[in-house]
Structures are given as C-alpha cells and as structure tokens.
Amino acid sequence: MAAEEKWKGRPSERHSGAEEAGEKEPCALLGQRLGEPGRFAYAALCGISLARLFPEEEQSSFRTEFIEGFVKWLALPEAVLPAMTAFASGLGGEGTETFTEILLKDPVLKENPVVITQDLLSFSLRDGYYDARARVLICHITWLLRVPLEELEVLEESLLESLKEQKEEESETAEVSRRKKERRRKLKRYLLIGLATVGGGTVIGLTGGLAAPLVAAGAATVIGSAGAAALGSTAGIAVMASLFGAAGAGLTGYKMKKRVGAIEEFEFLPLTEGKQLHITIAITGWLCTGKYGSFTAPWSSMLRSSEQYCLAWESKYLMELGNALDSLLNGFVNMMAQEALKFTVLSGIVTALTWPASLLTVASVIDNPWGVCLHRSAEVGKHLAHILLSRRQGKRPVTLIGFSLGARVIYFCLQEMAQEKDSQGIIEDVVLLGAPVEGEAKHWKAIRKVVSGRIINGYCRGDWLLRFVYRTSSVQIKVAGLQPVNLDDRRMANMDLSSVVNGHLDYMKQMDTILKAVGVKTKECCLEENLFSPLAKKSQRAAGSETREEENTVREEDVADGE
C-alpha cells in the first residue's frame, strides 16, 4: 500500500522515477552495479515470472532463450544457468516474494526501482525486436516492484525520443529543454552500451535515415569504435528500420491493390499522430449515417497507445447493416422486443424462444445484411492475421480492440494466426466487446497460443439483438457477447458490461464508458493505470462509482486466478 500511496501525486511527480532513471543513474549497465545477491534475485524473479506467465510447452523455447540471454546480460557466472533454467521451467515459484525483497534491498534500487524497468526494456530491445511476451513480462516485474505501469510508457517514449532528432516546443523553458535532452542522451547511451556489451547487437529506430545520429563519428566516443561499426552496418540499419515496419510506412502504407477473395475494402486509418514501441488497432462493428458514419468515430477518446490505428473494412456492407439496425431498433419493434425480454431466460444460451410476431415480420431487414457481414468479417479477420504475421506493423507488440462484428474480425484473426508458425510474440492484448462468436471455452483454447497478455471478453446478458440474430440456429449456441467464456487460463478476463450497455447499439454510443470499464485508458483519464498486465490488477486504486467497484471486484478475482 505504501508503494501505491507514493505514486498518487501529480503527473510530474508520478513520472519522476523514469526521469531519475535517465538523468541520475550512471550509464554502466545495471548488472555491473547490482550486488551478486541482487543480480541472482533479479534473474530468478524473471525466470519464475516467465514460468507463471507462459507455462505452455510451446513457450518453452522462448523461456529458455530469454533466460540464457538474460544471464549473460547480467554477467552472472554460467554456473547459475541450470538454476535459472529450472526457475523458468516452473520450479521455485514460492520464492517470488523473497527474491523481490532481496532485489529491493539492493542500494541501487532502494531509491529508484524504475531502473529495473529501464534495464529490462533495454534488454528486450537489444536486437531490434520487441516481443509482446517480453512486454508482458516487463509489466509483471514492474508490478511486483510496485512501480506504476505509467513509468514503462515514459521510458518507452523517452527511448524513442532519444533516437530521433526532435525539436523542442518553443513554449518550453531552456531548463526543461535541457533536462529532456539530457534524459534522452542518458537513455540512448545506456541502450547503446548494453548493445555493444552483448556483442554488437543493433539499436532501434524509426527508419534507416533516422539511424544517422547514431552512426555519426560521435557515436564511436559513446560506445567504442567496434560498437559504432556494428551500428553503421547495412544489416544494423535494416534491423533498426524493421521494428516500425517496411521503410517506415508501416500499416498506413498498406492498402489492397486488388480484391482479395470476397474482401472489397481493407485499409488502416491513423487515429493518432505519434509513434510508440507498442501499437493499438481498433475495429468498428458497423457504420450508420450521422455522427457514427466513420470508422474512427467510436474511438475518439481511446488512448491505449500514442500510436493507434483503425481498420476500415467493407464500409458499403457495414453501412447497410447500420441502417438496418437503426430502422429495427428505433421503431416500435424495439418496444416489443423489450417486452419479450420479460419472458426470456437471460442465461446466455440462445434457444428457440417465442419472439413477438411483429418482430419476426421485419426480421428480413436485419437477417440479410447481418449474414453478409458475418461472413465478410471472418474473411477480413483472416486477412488481418496474415498482415500481422508479415510484420507489416514492424516487430513490436500489437493490441486489438473491437466491438460487435469488429470483435468477430479479431476472433477470426487470432484463430487464423494460431494455425501458422511464428505467430507468438506479436499480439499483446485483445479486447472483444459484444462479440458474435462461439462462447464455448473449447473454441478459445487456440487463442492462448497467440495472445501474450490479456484476453478480455466484454458481454451484456440483456443484449436482445444479439440473441435475436442467433434465433434460427438449429442447435443451442453459447454466444461470447452474451455471457462469460469459461476458459481456465490466466489470460482470460470476462467483464459483465450489463450495467453500462443496455443494448447492442450502446457498444458504439457508449464506447468511452466501456473502455474505462474494461481498463483501457482514455484521453479523459490518461493518467489512470493501464490494467492490461496479467497481474497488475492489485495496484488499481478503488474508485467511487458503482461501476468501477464492480470492475475492481472482477479484477481482484483475476489476480487471484493468476497467482
């Protein structure tokens, strides 16, 4: 609790840890400054956390490679490698608290534990590939040390800034400008020294052109001539560019040149102007005339990352669907359907209910466009999977958020990725809201292989529209958008949104409230802690509203499951 209280100050105070990590700490690697007990505890904590977060057999090679590289990074003797490998295999989990205490007692960490977050970030970026699993691990270790996750965001942004020649705003004072430049210089130097130390790896950048400041003559004085030579190589510059996608164009540079199968439209629209080491892609479920006539409209308040995109897909068909929804829901039929709810068992299982005759007479208005979009969303999801697998977005973590048919796109994207090789380490978190997909846990098991962080299923038990479109099914179907998905996995989190979502249309109209309810940062509450880390729930401070209290209860249960 004391650690939590410490970070309840103003934004400038809350970011001070990351600034101190960049300004006050010497540029020697953390492994060279920690005592031997601290280094052992640090590596052991990472090993135990890897086993807890990624216990699956298919993740064994990642755990092993990570811990072997980390032992070298910390300059630990090879004799400790068997013990660390055992920790990463699942042994010694009960030692988490002990190792955390040992690490926090080290003089280097006593005043500023953020240096651990900085060091783990530098290690994870050492070869220009930011694995989603590595970011989930960093979030978890950061939580164990009671450091707010905002600090990781600050460090990621500072590292990016340090690798760019960015002009300071004219409104800033000379002192603030100097401090920022100094912090970026320190962070850059720390990263470069680490890269040179582990054998002339390569550092990251936005494009090959932006590598120039690092390979200039002055770089040799920072990291030595050998390290500068490695950074200046053609291969080095290529890897630096790869993190952010082909030639820096990334997702916005992608547009279908020709029709792909049944898909007529597929394009990424930027929601933000910035660049970040992790990105978010939002997927809209339908379009309608007026305020919500664009793909970007529902996501105007989202601030999950400073680099966010929206997928524009099949607008012609989504607009037809939206207009059908409006005509169906805004008329007298809506009243009849609400009346029918009184006679409906809200169990989440769609059965052959007796719907009002007045509703069935206009069923064709919704059935046809819904069926068309149901099919096309699956195809779009599969296409998105191959875009992500091709690393068009670069080698960095991706979070996917979607509602209604947009959530269905994500579901089929993950299912497609699960069938391919090298699909791990790309997706960090996924948020599916009102998803018209199978709700049986067995259909979600394959997704675990692909998602490194959280799988959030937001549902509403009283969503009669979702229940209605599944009424003709010949068998009983559990729908994810109507009930929890009972998948026994630390990644899975079910959020009952019935208190904020009255019907299916609310997923578009109440998106700001919904995002806050599931723990996604918005512009209005950008200083709130981001709760996507697998075990970060305990650090969430209680809020006053009933909705937030319910949300916190769910999250505490999730933490207990994860532990």
Side-chain angles (χ1 to χ4, degrees), residues 249-527:
L251 294 176
T252 52
Y254 177 83
K255 189 172 182 180
M256 286 199 319
K257 300 282 193 303
K258 57 183 180 179
R259 184 165 173 162
V260 179
I263 304 172
E264 297 177 12
E265 181 184 5
F266 189 103
E267 184 180 1
F268 294 98
L269 307 175
L271 290 172
T272 54
E273 297 296 328
K275 290 288 183 180
Q276 181 58 291
L277 290 177
H278 64 99
I279 70 170
T280 300
I281 300 175
I283 309 178
T284 301
W286 71 83
L287 298 173
C288 55
T289 54
K291 181 180 177 181
Y292 298 103
S294 70
F295 285 101
T296 60
W299 312 105
S300 59
S301 69
M302 185 174 69
L303 198 60
R304 168 75 173 97
S305 166
S306 56
E307 184 174 352
Q308 301 179 149
Y309 299 91
C310 182
L311 178 62
W313 62 287
E314 308 296 72
S315 57
K316 171 185 172 183
Y317 302 98
L318 292 179
M319 184 64 77
E320 289 177 0
L321 174 61
N323 290 336
L325 290 175
D326 277 344
S327 62
L328 186 67
L329 298 179
N330 292 338
F332 75 98
V333 176
N334 187 34
M335 296 171 57
M336 296 301 296
Q338 293 296 334
E339 186 69 21
L341 278 181
K342 296 178 182 179
F343 308 101
T344 302
V345 179
L346 300 180
S347 63
I349 299 177
V350 178
T351 56
L353 302 171
T354 304
W355 293 91
S358 56
L359 187 57
L360 295 174
T361 56
V362 293
S364 60
V365 172
I366 184 69
D367 284 351
N368 187 52
W370 178 265
V372 170
C373 290
L374 214 59
H375 171 69
R376 288 179 178 271
S377 59
E379 294 302 311
V380 167
K382 294 173 184 177
H383 187 58
L384 175 61
H386 291 286
I387 295 296
L388 297 177
L389 286 167
S390 70
R391 304 286 186 172
R392 185 81 198 189
Q393 73 284 2
K395 296 180 178 179
R396 50 193 173 148
V398 177
T399 289
L400 300 173
I401 302 177
F403 68 88
S404 187
L405 290 163
R408 184 177 170 87
V409 169
I410 294 172
Y411 177 83
F412 279 92
C413 169
L414 299 176
Q415 294 286 2
E416 184 74 6
M417 290 181 73
Q419 298 176 34
E420 302 292 333
K421 293 181 179 179
D422 301 321
S423 61
Q424 298 168 331
I426 298 174
I427 305 298
E428 183 178 357
D429 301 305
V430 294
V431 181
L432 291 83
L433 304 168
V437 298
E438 286 274 7
E440 288 279 1
K442 64 182 180 181
H443 298 291
W444 290 63
K445 286 184 178 179
I447 292 176
R448 298 180 301 177
K449 172 187 173 184
V450 180
V451 181
S452 304
R454 305 284 282 167
I455 303 172
I456 296 179
N457 174 47
Y459 64 94
C460 171
R461 296 183 184 276
D463 187 345
W464 70 265
L465 175 65
L466 201 53
R467 201 178 299 275
F468 180 70
V469 293
Y470 277 98
R471 74 193 181 285
T472 58
S473 176
S474 57
V475 294
Q476 288 188 347
I477 296 178
K478 289 186 177 180
V479 181
L482 294 171
Q483 58 160 46
V485 175
N486 297 316
L487 181 65
D488 184 18
D489 190 277
R490 62 96 187 158
R491 299 169 177 83
M492 194 73 219
N494 289 289
M495 300 274 186
D496 189 346
L497 301 173
S498 300
S499 61
V500 293
V501 176
N502 294 321
H504 206 67
L505 283 187
D506 280 353
Y507 283 112
M508 176 177 277
K509 296 177 180 178
Q510 302 294 331
M511 183 54 67
D512 179 61
T513 303
I514 293 170
L515 289 175
K516 292 173 185 175
V518 299
V520 177
K521 286 195 297 185
T522 62
K523 293 175 182 176
E524 288 77 8
C525 59
C526 61
L527 294 179

Side-chain angles (χ1 to χ4, degrees), residues 44-59:
L45 203 56
C46 286
I48 291 171
S49 298
L50 282 169
R52 172 176 291 181
L53 297 170
F54 308 107
E56 299 84 10
E57 179 60 33
E58 61 263 25
Q59 302 284 1

Side-chain angles (χ1 to χ4, degrees), residues 82-369:
M84 296 305 161
T85 303
F87 287 140
S89 299
L91 299 177
E94 65 279 1
T96 299
E97 189 173 336
T98 301
F99 288 129
T100 301
E101 290 177 1
I102 293 173
L103 186 55
L104 287 172
K105 286 179 181 177
D106 192 286
V108 176
L109 265 68
K110 269 191 173 181
E111 292 185 1
N112 189 21
V114 174
V115 294
I116 288 289
T117 305
Q118 174 181 311
D119 185 69
L120 268 177
L121 180 60
S122 298
F123 171 73
S124 300
L125 296 173
R126 70 195 185 283
D127 55 5
Y129 175 23
Y130 198 5
D131 193 292
R133 293 165 292 187
R135 191 169 196 271
V136 170
L137 174 66
I138 295 172
C139 288
H140 179 55
I141 297 294
T142 298
W143 171 80
L144 286 175
L145 299 177
R146 297 298 186 265
V147 174
L149 292 179
E150 301 154 331
E151 301 288 1
L152 173 58
E153 297 275 353
V154 173
L155 287 169
E156 288 175 331
E157 291 172 6
S158 294
L159 274 173
L160 270 187
E161 291 171 2
S162 73
L163 299 174
K164 298 186 295 181
E165 289 185 339
Q166 184 171 345
K167 294 181 179 179
E168 301 295 340
E169 303 228 353
E170 293 180 4
S171 59
E172 291 181 334
T173 64
E175 175 64 16
V176 172
S177 177
R178 185 196 64 77
R179 284 168 58 88
K180 279 193 173 184
K181 287 180 180 178
E182 179 67 12
R183 184 171 79 245
R184 290 199 286 261
R185 188 184 66 80
K186 292 273 189 180
L187 285 168
K188 178 170 69 177
R189 190 176 176 204
Y190 186 93
L191 180 58
L192 295 181
I193 288 174
L195 295 172
T197 301
V198 295
T202 184
V203 74
I204 58 169
L206 298 185
T207 65
L210 288 174
L214 304 180
V215 297
T221 62
V222 178
I223 59 173
S225 56
L231 290 172
S233 68
T234 303
I237 293 175
V239 175
M240 291 163 73
S242 74
L243 186 74
F244 286 81
L251 294 176
T252 52
Y254 177 83
K255 189 172 182 180
M256 286 199 319
K257 300 282 193 303
K258 57 183 180 179
R259 184 165 173 162
V260 179
I263 304 172
E264 297 177 12
E265 181 184 5
F266 189 103
E267 184 180 1
F268 294 98
L269 307 175
L271 290 172
T272 54
E273 297 296 328
K275 290 288 183 180
Q276 181 58 291
L277 290 177
H278 64 99
I279 70 170
T280 300
I281 300 175
I283 309 178
T284 301
W286 71 83
L287 298 173
C288 55
T289 54
K291 181 180 177 181
Y292 298 103
S294 70
F295 285 101
T296 60
W299 312 105
S300 59
S301 69
M302 185 174 69
L303 198 60
R304 168 75 173 97
S305 166
S306 56
E307 184 174 352
Q308 301 179 149
Y309 299 91
C310 182
L311 178 62
W313 62 287
E314 308 296 72
S315 57
K316 171 185 172 183
Y317 302 98
L318 292 179
M319 184 64 77
E320 289 177 0
L321 174 61
N323 290 336
L325 290 175
D326 277 344
S327 62
L328 186 67
L329 298 179
N330 292 338
F332 75 98
V333 176
N334 187 34
M335 296 171 57
M336 296 301 296
Q338 293 296 334
E339 186 69 21
L341 278 181
K342 296 178 182 179
F343 308 101
T344 302
V345 179
L346 300 180
S347 63
I349 299 177
V350 178
T351 56
L353 302 171
T354 304
W355 293 91
S358 56
L359 187 57
L360 295 174
T361 56
V362 293
S364 60
V365 172
I366 184 69
D367 284 351
N368 187 52

